Amino acid sequence: EQLVQTYKTKYPNLVQSDEMAAFYASIEIEGLCHRTATGILYTNAQGVSYADENDPEKNWALLFDEQSEENYRMIMETKDRIEKAVELFKSGYNCSQSVVGAFADMYGFTEEQAFRMSASFGGGIGRMRQTCGAACGMFLLAGLEKGAVEGKDREGKAANYALVQELAAEFKKRNGSLICAELLGLRKPEGSSVPEARTEQYYAKRPCARMVEVAAQIWTEYLEKTSSK
């Protein structure tokens, strides 16, 4: 409501209704709208446009070509998948399930299949606080993307292992560790298989949602890099 009021107050010539103010507020939250001192900058699949509060002659628009539109769609899909991973975690799925579940449809798996194949890796693998489950989710996706399917395929195995090592190094670089216990600040595992209740306090004290977000971000960056080659 405060953001809606900001648009109505700052841009009375451009924003002449509550509905329009709510629209601009909603797309700003999505990262598609930017307020400037003199107007509004807006991005969508067709291009970027600017509307000036005081002088319509200063309005402009830049339309994307086909490649730019494709890049825009890719960026938005990437953003949606990262958000989906975090939302899955906050809805109760474990860290590994959340990462795999956000991307599994790309490889022909249903969400149920994704949740089952990744279920055991939550909590640092079976709540043993070893390798972070979010990182394990990345490694599962790496197998779907670049995994050997023949026993004698040494080249395929090497390619997969190289990708896993690359992902692991990036995850460790951004978070300081790959180990669940270290990320949680635990001296030793709790010694229990029972997960904690998902309360507000749980989400406030744990970095797990951030680990899920980072893992999903790293994976999307990998996909973007390979698609541009």
Side-chain angles (χ1 to χ4, degrees):
E1 291 183 3
Q2 183 177 354
L3 190 55
V4 170
Q5 189 59 42
T6 296
Y7 273 98
K8 291 174 63 179
T9 302
K10 189 170 184 178
Y11 309 108
N13 295 326
L14 294 174
V15 181
Q16 299 180 355
S17 69
D18 291 343
E19 291 76 13
M20 187 175 293
F23 167 74
Y24 280 121
S26 65
I27 61 175
E28 178 175 329
I29 292 170
E30 294 176 4
L32 302 178
C33 188
H34 177 70
R35 287 173 281 130
T36 74
T38 56
I40 300 173
L41 191 66
Y42 170 49
T43 306
N44 62 21
Q46 284 70 52
V48 181
S49 62
Y50 170 77
D52 194 90
E53 166 65 16
N54 300 310
D55 187 355
E57 292 187 2
K58 293 182 179 179
N59 295 355
W60 55 264
L62 175 64
L63 299 179
F64 292 152
D65 57 23
E66 290 185 6
Q67 184 59 49
S68 296
E69 286 190 33
E70 180 60 30
N71 291 342
Y72 175 84
R73 284 192 290 271
M74 183 180 297
I75 290 169
M76 294 311 298
E77 181 180 352
T78 292
K79 180 173 177 288
D80 290 344
R81 289 188 183 277
I82 295 171
E83 290 178 351
K84 180 178 180 181
V86 176
E87 288 169 1
L88 286 171
F89 183 76
K90 290 184 176 179
S91 69
Y93 293 98
N94 73 36
C95 44
S96 185
Q97 288 176 312
S98 301
V99 174
V100 176
F103 296 91
D105 64 294
M106 297 175 61
Y107 304 98
F109 291 95
T110 65
E111 277 199 341
E112 181 179 350
Q113 290 170 327
F115 295 150
R116 286 185 180 276
M117 74 171 73
S118 54
S120 299
F121 297 93
I125 308 176
R127 208 168 186 267
M128 295 186 291
R129 305 308 183 196
Q130 298 185 22
T131 304
C132 172
C136 289
M138 283 196 305
F139 304 154
L140 278 168
L141 293 172
L144 298 177
E145 180 78 13
K146 191 180 285 190
V149 294
E150 296 182 5
K152 297 181 180 180
D153 184 8
R154 293 180 63 202
E155 184 177 338
K157 292 178 183 178
N160 172 254
Y161 296 159
L163 175 56
V164 169
Q165 290 176 16
E166 175 187 335
L167 297 170
E170 187 61 29
F171 187 90
K172 185 175 181 179
K173 175 183 175 182
R174 298 189 191 188
N175 299 307
S177 178
L178 268 175
I179 305 304
C180 177
E182 294 176 1
L183 293 169
L184 295 180
L186 300 176
R187 293 185 177 180
K188 61 180 182 179
E190 300 94 327
S192 170
S193 62
V194 181
E196 287 188 45
R198 294 292 186 90
T199 62
E200 290 185 8
Q201 290 74 21
Y202 172 96
Y203 291 112
K205 72 179 181 179
R206 288 181 176 270
C208 303
R210 175 60 182 162
M211 299 302 103
V212 167
E213 181 179 8
V214 170
Q217 179 68 50
I218 293 171
W219 186 248
T220 57
E221 289 171 5
Y222 165 76
L223 294 177
E224 290 170 1
K225 180 175 66 176
T226 55
S227 68
S228 65
K229 289 183 178 180

